[in-house]
Amino acid sequence: MAVNSKREYERRRYEKWQARQAAADARRKRQRVIAASLVGALVIGTGVVAALTLTQDDAAPQTAETATTAPTPAPTYPARTGNGGVVPDAATAEGRTWTGTITTSAGPVEVELDGAAAPQAVANFVTLAAEGYFDGTLCHRLVPAGIFVLQCGDPTATGTGGPGYSWGPVENAPADDVYPAGTLAMARVGNDAQSMGSQFFLVYEDSTIPSDTAGGYTVFGRITSGLDVVQAIADAGTQPGSERPVQDVIIEGVEIQ
């Protein structure tokens, strides 16, 4: 190969390498921005109990396709009060491991709850489950990028509902902000450790969820079987213009023992 031709070849190869590096840097930056912004996705509406800092949706931005057609109003669901509006006694968790099943319209999800590591969260979940608080409620939020969670536990399906009480502080949050696939954790209002209520989220792929001024998110259990059910819900995607799963996911019952 002539010297000039070789130099031109090396120059083009170097430019391609630079372009690939720039694209990779841009992709990593987008992922960081998505993860940071979605920490509002697990959040409950301001002043209302129970969302994760994954925050409640604002109106979805309009596009050329959606600007001329008004979205169909989402159905409304009545609020519920859990445990008479009183925070369940943490002693109810008994410092032990609980097992149970969250039966959804998409299939059963078996769980294990850690009453020693997160006594208030487990006492709360066990108490609400026993009185049928979650029965007939929708999993109102699916986050399929940046972080990977399905959020449930709001009887109003708006992201702002709760049991009529709030509690804290955060329990058993991971020090490294990593929530492995199968994690069961409490949602809350951003920067408010005392805002947990009934909303919780299931992690279907390993997710890094940055802590805020209140800390991380209370991990109170894990999925022992049925992660594939949650993954299938995620794979189906969301309804246009919303973060609700394509097919409504209804919690039919929760049995804990």
Side-chain angles (χ1 to χ4, degrees), residues 82-242:
N83 198 43
V86 178
V87 180
D89 187 347
T92 305
E94 300 178 3
R96 67 177 178 89
T97 298
W98 298 70
T99 59
T101 303
I102 302 172
T103 301
T104 79
S105 55
V109 178
E110 295 181 10
V111 297
E112 183 177 271
L113 312 182
D114 191 341
Q120 186 61 75
V122 171
N124 182 69
F125 194 83
V126 169
T127 299
L128 294 180
E131 66 181 33
Y133 178 89
F134 298 116
D135 298 1
T137 61
L138 272 70
C139 291
H140 63 279
R141 186 166 207 153
L142 173 66
V143 186
I147 58 177
F148 307 96
V149 303
L150 177 67
Q151 191 168 334
C152 311
D154 175 4
T156 70
T158 63
T160 64
Y165 58 78
S166 61
W167 54 273
V170 172
E171 302 174 300
N172 195 40
D176 59 1
D177 291 340
V178 175
Y179 297 76
T183 296
L184 192 61
M186 292 302 302
R188 61 170 174 78
V189 176
N191 303 306
D192 187 350
Q194 300 292 327
S195 62
M196 288 171 280
S198 61
Q199 291 187 42
F200 62 95
F201 61 97
L202 303 98
V203 181
Y204 60 89
E205 290 183 24
D206 293 354
S207 298
T208 298
I209 306 174
S211 297
D212 58 21
T213 58
Y217 301 90
T218 294
V219 174
F220 67 99
R222 66 186 184 91
I223 296 171
T224 56
S225 178
L227 183 59
D228 58 326
V229 172
V230 186
Q231 184 68 64
I233 293 168
D235 290 345
T238 57
Q239 298 178 21
S242 82

Side-chain angles (χ1 to χ4, degrees), residues 1-12:
M1 181 181 293
V3 172
N4 288 341
S5 297
K6 184 174 182 180
R7 286 176 178 171
E8 180 63 18
Y9 169 77
E10 293 295 338
R11 183 185 65 80
R12 287 198 303 269

